[in-house]
Amino acid sequence: MPCYSLDGLTPVVDPSAYVHPSAVLIGDVIVGPRCYIGPLASLRGDFGRIVLEEGANLQDTCVMHGFPDSDTVIERDGHVGHGAVLHGCRVGADALIGINAVVLDYARIGARSIVSAGALVKARFTCAEQSLVVGSPARVTRRLSDEEVAWKQAGTREYQLLGQRCSSLVECAPLSAVEADRPRISHSEHRPKAASST
């Protein structure tokens, strides 16, 4: 992975975390145990600190950045969907940020909450635990059910397992044709089902 020390601060990655080789880590970045960081993610700790706590995942093309002296944090088991941008905010434990959502400075997403795909969470926004956050600008629409939280948790477990599976990732040249009886990727028995609320 491209990893850069800046002003004497070198990114820290726990040995049990998986960081895709195309992800970029710069400066004051701390990646905790069992985290997953996907392809082309950018973690720029060149102004503020970037932290992923244990079991968090940051999927492909996500960006984490912040203003000087700020912390941008994904707490334990936080889950950030493809293309999301986190800037100087805090994502609570076991919360989910949907695909292409943007969460701005000093916003605090409550534990076990879900921010819908494409939402724009304004600076200094806060929400209670287990909130459904929707829209642009985002607002809380209701409390999540325990079933919806369980759906999110199952998805996060899939990404924690994916981090382990990626130990078998090998760079290779593509084939020129599909093989006869091509196998399919097998999934864990805990594969999440689609939720209707997001």
Side-chain angles (χ1 to χ4, degrees):
M1 88 197 89
C3 184
Y4 303 94
S5 179
L6 180 67
D7 297 337
L9 283 168
T10 300
V12 177
V13 178
D14 185 274
S16 65
Y18 173 77
V19 180
H20 189 274
S22 66
V24 179
L25 281 59
I26 299 171
D28 195 2
V29 174
I30 302 168
V31 178
R34 300 184 313 108
C35 289
Y36 171 89
I37 297 176
L40 303 174
S42 176
L43 292 80
R44 283 182 48 207
D46 48 14
F47 290 127
R49 177 166 289 173
I50 307 298
V51 179
L52 279 79
E53 294 183 358
E54 182 173 1
N57 71 76
L58 185 74
Q59 297 170 23
D60 35 309
T61 72
C62 288
V63 174
M64 291 182 74
H65 192 241
F67 288 136
D69 303 316
S70 68
D71 289 350
T72 306
V73 179
I74 306 171
E75 294 181 8
R76 185 182 180 107
D77 295 330
H79 187 110
V80 182
H82 319 288
V85 176
L86 305 179
H87 201 276
C89 60
R90 178 172 287 268
V91 175
D94 215 13
L96 181 150
I97 306 301
I99 294 170
N100 282 332
V102 176
V103 185
L104 294 175
D105 301 276
Y106 310 109
R108 296 180 69 91
I109 304 303
R112 298 179 311 285
S113 293
I114 294 177
V115 174
S116 71
L120 172 61
V121 178
K122 293 171 72 173
R124 302 192 185 280
F125 173 94
T126 62
C127 66
E129 294 183 355
Q130 217 158 315
S131 294
L132 177 62
V133 180
V134 176
S136 180
R139 61 185 178 83
V140 175
T141 58
R142 64 177 172 82
R143 181 175 171 81
L144 291 170
S145 68
D146 291 341
E147 291 77 15
E148 289 167 317
V149 172
W151 169 82
K152 179 269 166 203
Q153 291 169 334
T156 299
R157 283 192 299 274
E158 283 290 325
Y159 271 88
Q160 291 165 345
L161 291 171
L162 180 59
Q164 296 171 14
R165 288 173 50 214
C166 284
S167 65
S168 70
L169 194 68
V170 175
E171 189 170 357
C172 63
L175 301 175
S176 59
V178 178
E179 317 95 296
D181 299 320
R182 181 179 174 89
R184 297 185 74 86
I185 297 283
S186 60
H187 294 279
S188 80
E189 63 186 279
H190 302 293
R191 188 171 186 194
K193 296 178 184 171
S196 59
S197 63
T198 57

